Amino acid sequence: MATDKKEYLFKVLVIGELGVGKTSIIKRYVHQLFSHNYRATIGVDFALKVLTWDADTLVRLQLWDIAGQERFGNMTRVYYKEAVGAFVVFDVTRSSTFEAVAKWKSDLDAKVMLSNGGPIPAVLLANKSDQAPDGASAPQLDAFCKEHGFTGWFHTSAKENKNIDEAARFLVGHVLSNEHLLGTERDDTDTVSLEGSSSDALGAGGGSGRLNRSGKTSSCC
């Protein structure tokens, strides 16, 4: 007997300091592309990844690439609205980006939460591990994630395509486990409309766009 396929649309944030590789991670995950030459994100970019979770479940991930300087702005509450999961990224070759992670996580927890008041699942990505294979030690990251409420962590490399798919499946698994806590209420005063963010507009395999501070979208490659 045929069963109805479950379909979900999840908004996932990708946050962290400027230059840690957020855009590279998204481009690798969505388009299987890598370049050394990405311009710094201004405001927020977004991309769509269609993920076949299992035979009965289809997940569309709307990935929001938040500019590194946005933690100091007043738009993050709008950008974070209705997110159900997050990646917080730092560069293993720049200790200052790791030191900023706790502030990003604190900002995230203050501005978006589950319907029971708990934090949304957040996964820490220790990126550019191809440049520093040892990176931050596993015990250090284990302790840090426990202290700051991260769901887990991964050493990643957009260049070598290391652990990006694995980190995404890990996060989606935790988002799905919180399905009953995601809530359905929306506050239109803080909602930003993403024109062309549907699967029809972006294509079945994924797509991308850009949202500027005026709330208007434009397509990007």
Side-chain angles (χ1 to χ4, degrees), residues 156-170:
T156 58
S157 168
K159 180 179 180 180
E160 297 183 348
N161 197 18
K162 176 183 176 182
N163 282 338
I164 294 174
D165 287 353
E166 292 82 353
R169 288 195 67 88
F170 178 79

Side-chain angles (χ1 to χ4, degrees), residues 4 6 24 35 66 92 106 125 140 143 148 183 186 202 204:
D4 292 334
K6 294 181 180 178
S24 293
S35 171
I66 311 295
V92 297
S106 177
L125 301 184
Q140 180 185 7
H148 295 281
R186 295 173 182 266
L202 292 175

Side-chain angles (χ1 to χ4, degrees), residues 29-219:
Y29 182 54
V30 175
H31 302 293
Q32 290 301 309
L33 297 174
F34 175 78
S35 171
H36 290 285
N37 302 311
Y38 288 126
R39 291 180 296 178
T41 301
I42 299 174
V44 59
D45 286 353
F46 63 94
L48 186 74
K49 172 73 172 183
V50 180
L51 179 66
T52 301
W53 182 253
D54 57 34
D56 301 316
T57 310
L58 187 72
V59 176
R60 290 181 173 86
L61 293 181
Q62 194 181 76
L63 299 160
W64 284 54
D65 179 4
I66 311 295
Q69 65 270 28
E70 286 298 325
R71 181 167 56 86
F72 306 103
N74 58 8
M75 286 291 287
T76 52
R77 189 175 299 277
V78 177
Y79 295 156
Y80 291 0
K81 185 71 175 177
E82 296 175 2
V84 297
F87 292 112
V88 184
V89 187
F90 75 95
D91 178 347
V92 297
T93 70
R94 294 160 54 208
S95 60
S96 62
T97 65
F98 178 63
E99 293 165 2
V101 165
K103 294 179 181 178
W104 279 99
K105 182 61 162 62
S106 177
D107 187 55
L108 176 71
D109 291 345
K111 293 176 179 176
V112 64
M113 60 193 66
L114 298 173
S115 62
N116 66 352
I120 64 173
V123 174
L124 181 64
L125 301 184
N127 196 39
K128 304 187 184 182
S129 60
D130 56 285
Q131 297 183 34
D134 294 330
S137 69
Q140 180 185 7
L141 290 174
D142 286 340
F144 182 85
C145 287
K146 183 176 181 180
E147 178 183 356
H148 295 281
F150 282 93
T151 307
W153 65 270
F154 290 81
H155 275 127
T156 58
S157 168
K159 180 179 180 180
E160 297 183 348
N161 197 18
K162 176 183 176 182
N163 282 338
I164 294 174
D165 287 353
E166 292 82 353
R169 288 195 67 88
F170 178 79
L171 179 61
V172 170
H174 283 272
V175 171
L176 286 169
S177 70
N178 287 327
E179 179 187 358
H180 62 294
L181 297 174
L182 299 183
T184 58
E185 294 183 1
R186 295 173 182 266
D187 181 354
D188 291 338
T189 60
D190 280 345
T191 300
V192 175
S193 174
L194 290 184
E195 301 171 7
S197 65
S198 69
S199 58
D200 292 337
L202 292 175
S208 56
R210 173 165 296 157
L211 177 69
N212 59 33
R213 288 181 177 81
S214 67
K216 297 180 179 179
T217 59
S218 59
S219 62

